[in-house]
Amino acid sequence: MSTNPAEPSALKAFLERHRRHMPRRLPRVLLAVALLVVPLVVVLRWFGARPEGTPAPGAEPAGTVKVDEARREQAGIAVEAARSVVRGRAFDAPAVLALDETRTARIGALVEGTVVRVLAEVGDRAGKGRALAELSSPVVHDAWADYRKAVAERRRRETELAWATAAAERAERLLLAKALSTQEKQRADVEKVAAAEELDRAKTEVRRAEEALEHLGVTNKDDPTGEEGESVPVRSPLAGVVLEKHVTAGTAVTPGTPLFVVSDLSVLWALAEIDETRLPLVGAGRPARVVVAAYPGQEFPGEVAFVGDAVNPKTRRVTVRCRVPNPKGLLKPEMYARVSLGEESPRPMVVVPAGAVQELEGKTCVFVAGPSGSFERREVSLGGTEEGWVEVTEGLKEGEKVASEGSFLLKSELLKGSVAEEE
């Protein structure tokens, strides 16, 4: 077979020509390759990447804790289903017991003087009008002097009226006997009228002096002769218990100096602070139940007497005042308490054990049991608490199982996992 000698030379010329032009075409080739490869890589990474928040294969989803059976039994983790019950929508609020100010007397000194006798001590039961102390004061001396002077003036005017009346009667007889002129008879009548007016003025002065004594707690019956009763009694204006005593014998006082605090403890106030979002559930006249740590399991019934008209700008809470009867005296002022407030009419609601509720990152949550020993954190909104069961208003359905005991361990495990992920 014959070979054309011109073929090698032609191939060689073609390669030589392309080799000479290669440096000039190389950038174009590289650019074309890059335009093909880069989109291909982006597409592959797009379809191969995991969505944000998707756990790696074998890892638990965010907000989920998995506990095996052995650890669960060791930690005492118990699971209980959320129940549906029928009861009133109530909620608890922290409160402090306080004196009923309408049944409390803060007694101060009326005049300047010195305490000469103290007749009551803290804890004494004082009836209305009981003398708690006695003061010596120049004011009472002046008041007695004015009273005695007014009484003396009244007696003098009574004598003058009696003399003027007798004179007028005598003038009447003389006029009938033609022994006295009409003018003299009229003068006698005028003197009688003037004497009666002066007696009325004297009686008014006596009454004024008596009122001045009564203002000091003294009456003219206490000292009909004016020889005794020179001290000012400090009396209780109501029946109650002496809670505070601020003076002793010999204490110098001025008007307004605090002396005693007396209060009727048969009724107390419970001052509760509620969130402004709870206002629709609270109103004057609605019932309230008070619980204190001193008597666990015992409720003291009361009634909402007042709902604050302003929100505290610092706490964003509103003060609610409840009136709580205390006939046996078991409740004491300044006790810490919890007040149950809310609706009266029962209604269906979902409840969980109080031990299932935890606070995490400033939010209220429960741990819902899942398959294979996993527990999912679930944010919930709560209502009131009654007999150890808390109302769940949002975030949980009836029948869903939650960790009723040992939920704090689940919270710790979740926090531990969050710290590990951040590191």
Side-chain angles (χ1 to χ4, degrees):
M1 182 173 127
S2 61
T3 304
N4 188 358
E7 291 181 359
S9 58
L11 177 62
K12 185 176 180 180
F14 175 78
L15 292 177
E16 181 66 22
R17 186 171 60 253
H18 278 275
R19 186 172 58 84
R20 287 198 310 266
H21 293 287
M22 182 63 68
R24 192 170 55 196
R25 295 178 178 176
L26 181 61
R28 300 177 184 176
V29 173
L30 294 177
L31 179 61
V33 172
L35 291 176
L36 292 175
V37 172
V38 170
L40 180 61
V41 172
V42 172
V43 170
L44 291 176
R45 289 182 61 86
W46 174 267
F47 285 101
R50 293 195 312 271
E52 185 178 355
T54 303
E60 295 296 330
T64 302
V65 181
K66 190 169 184 178
V67 182
D68 57 37
E69 189 67 25
R71 290 187 60 197
R72 178 174 167 178
E73 293 181 0
Q74 183 180 5
I77 299 176
V79 175
E80 193 159 354
R83 302 180 185 177
S84 177
V85 298
V86 178
R87 72 183 189 194
R89 186 181 180 186
F91 65 94
D92 291 346
V96 177
L97 299 184
L99 299 175
D100 184 343
E101 293 296 334
T102 64
R103 296 169 176 260
T104 300
R106 305 181 188 278
I107 305 169
L110 294 176
V111 295
E112 182 178 359
T114 304
V115 178
V116 293
R117 274 205 307 171
V118 177
L119 305 175
E121 296 295 332
V122 173
D124 288 355
R125 265 59 181 174
K128 183 177 181 180
R130 174 185 167 180
L132 306 177
E134 291 183 354
L135 306 178
S136 176
S137 173
V139 176
V140 73
H141 302 310
D142 295 340
W144 273 118
D146 291 342
Y147 172 72
R148 295 163 192 154
K149 182 179 179 181
V151 170
E153 180 66 15
R154 183 186 63 187
R155 291 171 182 166
R156 187 174 75 85
R157 294 301 181 181
E158 288 174 346
T159 303
E160 290 181 353
L161 178 59
W163 184 86
T165 301
E169 292 174 353
R170 185 171 57 253
E172 180 69 23
R173 292 194 299 270
L174 293 175
L175 180 62
L176 294 175
K178 306 296 184 178
L180 190 68
S181 65
T182 302
Q183 184 178 5
E184 293 295 331
K185 171 64 174 60
Q186 291 174 347
R187 183 180 294 110
D189 291 339
V190 170
E191 291 177 354
K192 177 183 176 182
V193 172
E197 292 177 351
E198 291 296 328
L199 177 59
D200 289 340
R201 187 178 294 109
K203 289 180 178 179
T204 301
E205 285 298 315
V206 171
R207 183 56 192 157
R208 184 195 62 80
E210 289 176 345
E211 290 175 350
L213 289 172
E214 291 172 358
H215 176 70
L216 300 175
V218 181
T219 65
N220 58 344
K221 296 180 181 179
D222 296 331
D223 179 27
T225 63
E227 300 297 331
E228 298 178 356
E230 296 292 342
S231 61
V232 179
V234 178
R235 300 185 184 276
S236 174
L238 51 81
V241 180
V242 179
L243 298 179
E244 297 179 22
K245 184 193 76 169
H246 300 287
V247 293
T248 58
T251 302
V253 298
T254 57
T257 300
L259 303 178
F260 297 91
V261 175
V262 179
S263 182
D264 179 5
L265 302 181
S266 62
V267 177
L268 294 179
W269 283 350
L271 303 178
E273 297 288 328
I274 68 170
D275 189 85
E276 57 184 299
T277 58
R278 303 286 193 181
L279 285 176
L281 302 178
V282 181
R286 288 190 176 181
R289 296 189 302 275
V290 177
V291 178
V292 294
Y295 308 102
Q298 183 175 356
E299 293 184 345
F300 297 86
E303 183 182 73
V304 177
F306 170 77
V307 179
D309 296 321
V311 176
N312 187 319
K314 296 181 179 179
T315 64
R316 307 308 305 171
R317 292 182 175 272
V318 180
T319 300
V320 176
R321 186 175 70 226
C322 302
R323 184 177 178 271
V324 185
N326 185 34
K328 297 181 179 180
L330 298 179
L331 301 177
K332 311 296 181 184
E334 301 304 325
M335 272 185 170
Y336 288 113
R338 294 199 68 81
V339 180
S340 180
L341 303 165
E343 298 175 347
E344 300 179 41
S345 56
R347 59 177 181 79
M349 63 181 64
V350 177
V351 296
V352 296
V357 180
Q358 293 292 334
E359 291 286 337
L360 189 60
E361 298 177 352
K363 298 179 180 179
T364 305
C365 64
V366 296
F367 288 90
V368 181
S372 303
S374 63
F375 290 88
E376 174 197 356
R377 182 188 70 179
R378 182 89 58 83
E379 294 181 8
V380 293
S381 300
L382 303 182
T385 302
E386 186 174 337
E387 299 179 355
W389 290 82
V390 185
E391 178 193 3
V392 179
T393 59
E394 188 177 354
L396 197 66
K397 297 179 180 179
E398 177 187 1
E400 289 188 291
K401 295 182 178 181
V402 298
S404 58
E405 297 180 13
S407 58
F408 183 78
L409 174 64
L410 300 176
K411 172 183 174 181
S412 302
E413 289 292 329
L414 189 61
L415 291 175
K416 188 188 304 182
S418 300
V419 172
E421 289 179 2
E422 291 177 0
E423 293 177 352

